[in-house]
Amino acid sequence: MEPRVLVVDDEAGVRKALSRGLGAEGMDVTVAADGPTALSLAGTGAFDVVLLDIMLPGLSGYRVLERLRADGVTTPVLLISAKDGEIDQADGLDLGADGYVVKPFSFVVLVAQVRATLRRTAAEGVRGQLRIGPLVLDRGRREVYWRDEPVPLSPREYALLEALAGRAGTVVTKEELLQSVWGDQRAATRNVVEVYVGYLRRKLDAVGATAFVRTVRGHGYVAGDPASDSATGA
């Protein structure tokens, strides 16, 4: 699965350039233009790294970062700012940032920093929680809860839900699920994916999580809280 990157910047040109550039580097990019949207999206824990501008409407990057860490969201955050003072950088790192990038920056260097961050978190085995509406997926303990009620899943069903919830609001194809859950697109058939999606839906339905996993005909499946669009990544 492609690493998921959330780009937060109030400048449309920056969002567009980073979305295209990081996408060309094999990353799945979602963008946000203001602090509240950034907090809502990043708060799900569904991203592998967040590129967060400091000067944002609605809520500054500092405050977004502060609230994410207070809520226990451990997703790596690289702050981006035109401020290059030592105090500014120290403040950001003290709040829990994993890095600080000064504008204007080299795209090549930025990509290198993002990849280094991804490698570091992979090596450390950092597996935080995913929060999509009332659903909480504890990746460290491999446990799932809906409105605080445990959802008993088999290892394969859990892996399937993690693959879908980790890209909440994004259509995931059967081929991508075969690669992520079974390890190889040839290890099982597309029909097997359908069967396990059916198993997963029945267990989610049993706790009231109806329509959390939806079919996009001809494309694949998308996970998200049907009562809210906050986790769609749109």
Side-chain angles (χ1 to χ4, degrees):
M1 304 289 278
E2 298 175 337
R4 294 199 74 192
V5 180
L6 175 61
V7 172
V8 187
D9 199 292
D10 63 340
E11 297 182 34
V14 173
R15 294 196 303 274
K16 185 176 182 180
L18 289 179
S19 181
R20 285 183 175 179
L22 294 173
E25 294 291 328
M27 302 181 192
D28 182 0
V29 182
T30 299
V31 298
D34 58 72
T37 302
L39 181 62
S40 176
L41 290 171
T44 66
F47 294 91
D48 297 297
V49 64
V50 178
L51 302 182
L52 180 62
D53 191 23
I54 291 177
M55 302 301 292
L56 294 171
L59 198 65
S60 75
Y62 283 143
R63 300 289 76 81
V64 171
L65 175 59
E66 185 177 42
R67 289 174 61 174
L68 288 174
R69 296 302 185 241
D71 290 342
V73 178
T74 59
T75 305
V77 174
L78 299 179
L79 288 175
I80 299 177
S81 176
K83 298 182 178 180
D84 60 358
E86 292 182 354
I87 293 178
D88 298 308
Q89 296 185 43
D91 286 344
L93 295 172
D94 284 344
L95 287 172
D98 297 82
Y100 194 103
V101 181
V102 178
K103 292 181 178 179
F105 51 81
S106 161
F107 178 73
V108 173
V109 173
L110 177 67
V111 171
Q113 291 198 41
V114 171
R115 292 198 183 283
T117 301
L118 293 171
R119 286 195 299 272
R120 183 170 65 251
T121 54
E124 293 172 351
V126 176
R127 305 292 287 166
Q129 290 186 346
L130 286 173
R131 297 175 180 272
I132 315 296
L135 182 131
V136 175
L137 193 150
D138 189 326
R139 293 181 290 187
R141 298 181 178 181
R142 298 179 66 82
E143 296 175 349
V144 178
Y145 299 88
W146 178 266
R147 300 191 190 282
D148 297 324
E149 181 178 349
V151 183
L153 299 177
S154 71
R156 190 78 73 182
E157 292 163 353
Y158 172 87
L160 181 61
L161 179 60
E162 182 179 20
L164 291 166
R167 298 179 65 189
T170 301
V171 176
V172 184
T173 67
K174 292 179 181 178
E175 290 75 16
E176 289 173 325
L177 290 172
L178 283 170
Q179 181 68 46
S180 177
V181 178
W182 280 266
D184 190 332
Q185 294 181 20
R186 296 166 296 182
T189 67
R190 291 161 58 94
N191 287 340
V192 169
V193 176
E194 294 177 8
V195 169
Y196 272 88
V197 168
Y199 293 159
L200 176 60
R201 279 175 169 158
R202 283 194 286 275
K203 291 189 176 180
L204 291 173
D205 288 347
V207 296
T210 304
F212 185 83
V213 176
R214 301 183 296 281
T215 299
V216 180
R217 294 194 180 279
H219 296 281
Y221 305 95
V222 61
D225 179 11
S228 172
D229 291 330
S230 64
T232 62

